[in-house]
Amino acid sequence: MLVNMKEMLLNADRDGYAVMAVNSVNMEMARAVIEAANEEHSPIIVQMGRSQMAKLAHAEDILPMIIAMAKRADVPVCLNLDHGPDFKTEVDAIHRGFTNVMIDASSLPYEENVRRTRIVADLAHASGITVEAELGHVGQAADGDGRSADMYTNVAQAVDFVQKTGVDALAVAIGTAHGKYPAGFVPKLDFQRLAELKAALKMPLVLHGGSGSGDENIRKAVAGGINKINVCTDAFHAAELAMKAKWEHEPETDYLNIMVTAESAIKLFVRDYIRMIGSNNRYIFDFASNGSKE
Ligand code: 13P
């Protein structure tokens, strides 16, 4: 079923688990992600960023297809605009059928972040669409971002931000970064800050830059109150590794089979990740009432 993020993340917050949000750039990826969630009886978030949509996942083509897949699923599926940069993109996303939008004004001055987020929250909520925003800034692993606390989320400011904007979920900066870290590097997360943020905000919190963060960090982050984890690079990587191995062992593999290989690898990766963050077996299809129940 296609849902917004509200109840999905409130349930995760109440029961202490996180929902995976996977950047999915084509039919095969979206299908792998949704099928993995279905088989694990887990809620799931399928998301796309603006540059991913511009490059490959053209919204007008791919959204109707993903919405249809989401509606057919036995588990709650949210369709999220990842890192929406401006009002035009947000309004377009709302009209096209995204059920959650992220507005990312986190690199702008605080008051401007508040102002833009508030407007997007008002617009989206009027259409039953939920909103995620970011405070502090989660940068790029390739630039060495995330290693110093200057970009981390300030607790008092976060309380003020949520009060003023009315967002449904807040992405916090506690030491992760987007993309690939240098080989062998595992980020050090500020769990003390996460504990303070959770205690002060008592709402669903989001971790961006899930890839390469290390299983132990991810498990601790979930235990510490993270309820949505964004994963992109590692999902692509799972497909890349499987495709390379397939070509190595079967150089004659054709296009069709290589696509099937990639899709299966992503599905396996997502199923494992879902179990790691504890969202499996949260929605079991109830044949008696002909509906899904928690
Ligand atoms: P990674 O590519 O590091 O997993 O980051 C994904 C993300 O946070 C998307 O918003």
Side-chain angles (χ1 to χ4, degrees):
M1 68 212 79
L2 181 67
V3 300
N4 67 26
M5 223 157 71
K6 186 89 183 172
E7 201 187 316
M8 179 187 271
L9 291 196
L10 286 178
N11 288 344
D13 187 14
R14 183 193 63 205
D15 295 340
Y17 61 91
V19 180
M20 193 180 186
V22 192
N23 291 70
S24 306
V25 295
N26 57 22
M27 177 183 77
E28 290 80 5
M29 257 195 110
R31 188 167 54 197
V33 170
I34 293 172
E35 279 185 5
N38 236 347
E39 288 173 20
E40 291 296 332
H41 309 292
S42 166
I44 196 79
I45 299 162
V46 176
Q47 62 184 14
M48 283 166 278
R50 188 175 62 162
S51 61
Q52 289 168 339
M53 291 192 283
K55 227 184 208 172
L56 188 67
H58 308 305
E60 59 271 38
D61 300 326
I62 198 171
L63 276 201
M65 191 171 61
I66 300 180
I67 289 170
M69 288 181 195
K71 285 183 175 165
R72 280 201 306 272
D74 295 333
V75 292
V77 180
C78 173
L79 189 46
N80 176 41
L81 169 72
D82 193 24
H83 293 284
D86 52 39
F87 295 133
K88 187 175 176 301
T89 311
E90 299 288 334
V91 171
D92 189 57
I94 290 167
H95 285 154
R96 285 192 190 282
F98 279 95
T99 54
N100 187 83
V101 289
M102 180 195 182
I103 165 76
D104 182 1
S106 65
S107 47
L108 298 175
Y110 177 70
E111 291 305 335
E112 186 58 13
N113 190 357
V114 169
R115 191 183 75 83
R116 292 190 187 197
T117 302
R118 173 82 246 176
I119 293 170
V120 171
D122 285 346
L123 269 175
H125 287 159
S127 305
I129 291 162
T130 45
V131 176
E132 171 187 337
E134 179 169 320
L135 186 66
H137 183 66
V138 180
Q140 298 299 324
D143 299 337
D145 290 340
R147 299 187 197 194
S148 88
D150 8 318
M151 297 205 294
Y152 291 2
T153 309
N154 175 284
V155 180
Q157 203 175 51
V159 172
D160 183 65
F161 185 84
V162 170
Q163 263 167 13
K164 286 182 174 154
T165 58
V167 289
D168 304 281
L170 185 69
V172 293
I174 55 167
T176 55
H178 295 98
K180 255 188 202 145
Y181 295 105
F185 178 83
V186 179
K188 194 169 154 16
L189 305 195
D190 188 344
F191 290 110
Q192 177 59 34
R193 186 180 301 259
L194 175 60
E196 288 168 20
L197 284 162
K198 193 71 182 181
L201 294 169
K202 297 182 183 60
M203 67 180 287
L205 300 181
V206 182
L207 187 72
H208 280 242
S211 297
S213 298
D215 293 0
E216 202 188 324
N217 273 336
I218 294 294
R219 285 197 183 92
K220 263 177 97 172
V222 175
I226 291 293
N227 305 114
K228 170 179 182 260
I229 302 186
N230 284 18
V231 180
C232 177
T233 308
D234 277 354
F236 290 168
H237 193 57
E240 285 155 22
L241 283 180
M243 289 162 97
K244 279 181 193 155
K246 183 83 175 167
W247 260 316
E248 210 173 296
H249 296 296
E250 293 173 40
E252 301 306 319
T253 297
D254 63 13
Y255 178 71
L256 184 67
N257 277 315
I258 208 73
M259 295 308 287
V260 171
T261 301
E263 185 170 339
S264 305
I266 292 169
K267 188 166 154 186
L268 201 63
F269 166 74
V270 174
R271 287 190 70 162
D272 285 346
Y273 207 100
I274 281 174
R275 288 196 287 267
M276 175 169 71
I277 63 176
S279 67
N280 54 316
N281 293 330
R282 301 287 174 175
Y283 289 84
I284 307 292
F285 194 73
D286 177 11
F287 288 99
S289 69
N290 195 28
S292 284
K293 68 173 186 187
E294 247 192 295

